[in-house]
Amino acid sequence: KLGMDEASVAAQGFPWGTMAVLAVFTLFASAIYYVFIVNGATVWQELGIKDPKSIGQITALPTLFILAGAGLFWLMGRQGIGIRWQLATFVGLLGVGLAVMGLTTNWQGMIAGMALQQTGAGMAIPTMIAWAQGLLPPNARGRGMGIWTSTFFFGQFSSPLLVSMIRAETGSMQGAFLWAGILGMAGAGLVVLLMGKREAAAH
């Protein structure tokens, strides 16, 4: 069956245009996704909290919000809320959470930002997989998901470079978080706008 699928893809042509859209958005979203994962400890230090044990105790609760994100993805799908709004919601939550962490001056604000960011993180992977599976034809999903996976995890490499460049301009990790958050929120707005236009054109 695998051979037949590969022959079918070769005959029909792999949907590279669709794959390029998926890859560009995935790279952007994964870069935002990894900002806190890679650099969160530095923000805690800028807030004056440097003890790993204290950080672990403070962050225990907000990290559970990743489960809330998975639940929100399920709920939105059950309510028939389209993929456009699911994509915008998770990127927007990542962005708002990072911006809150970038602006806060105390640990309470950091917790609030983490809760939002973790909710978005919980939605991220299932939402993007559902989107990719819906866009790619069945006979192209094997190769397509391989490319998608590589692109997503490339964000773990590209995100620190992005953050380092922004940090060099702003002078602090919190400044970098704020601007990464703004990029995330802007990305959410573009998703709503561009996918809305595409849906309108399709109709």
Side-chain angles (χ1 to χ4, degrees), residues 2 9 14-16 18-20 22-23 26 124-154:
L2 180 60
V9 171
F14 186 79
W16 287 110
T18 298
M19 195 68 242
L22 283 167
T26 299
I125 294 177
T127 301
M128 285 192 286
I129 289 176
W131 182 44
Q133 295 279 17
L135 282 181
L136 294 170
N139 56 11
R141 286 176 186 165
R143 181 189 299 180
M145 292 310 295
I147 296 172
W148 178 87
T149 302
S150 299
T151 305
F152 181 83
F153 286 106
F154 185 71

Side-chain angles (χ1 to χ4, degrees), residues 25-55:
F25 178 81
T26 299
L27 182 59
F28 168 78
S30 63
I32 301 299
Y33 175 93
Y34 280 108
V35 169
F36 174 76
I37 295 173
V38 177
N39 305 286
T42 305
V43 176
W44 282 109
Q45 291 175 3
E46 289 183 354
L47 291 173
I49 302 173
K50 301 180 180 181
D51 178 42
K53 183 178 179 181
S54 298
I55 294 172

Side-chain angles (χ1 to χ4, degrees), residues 48-86:
I49 302 173
K50 301 180 180 181
D51 178 42
K53 183 178 179 181
S54 298
I55 294 172
Q57 292 173 341
I58 295 171
T59 60
L61 180 60
T63 54
L64 294 177
F65 275 79
I66 199 166
L67 300 177
L72 182 58
F73 165 76
W74 174 83
L75 182 62
M76 292 179 77
R78 189 173 179 83
Q79 295 298 317
I81 298 173
I83 193 67
R84 169 169 59 129
W85 294 104
Q86 293 177 4

Side-chain angles (χ1 to χ4, degrees), residues 40-50 100-111 174:
T42 305
V43 176
W44 282 109
Q45 291 175 3
E46 289 183 354
L47 291 173
I49 302 173
K50 301 180 180 181
V100 170
M101 286 186 270
L103 290 169
T104 190
T105 58
N106 54 51
W107 66 268
Q108 292 92 339
M110 189 69 177
I111 292 299
Q174 280 193 280

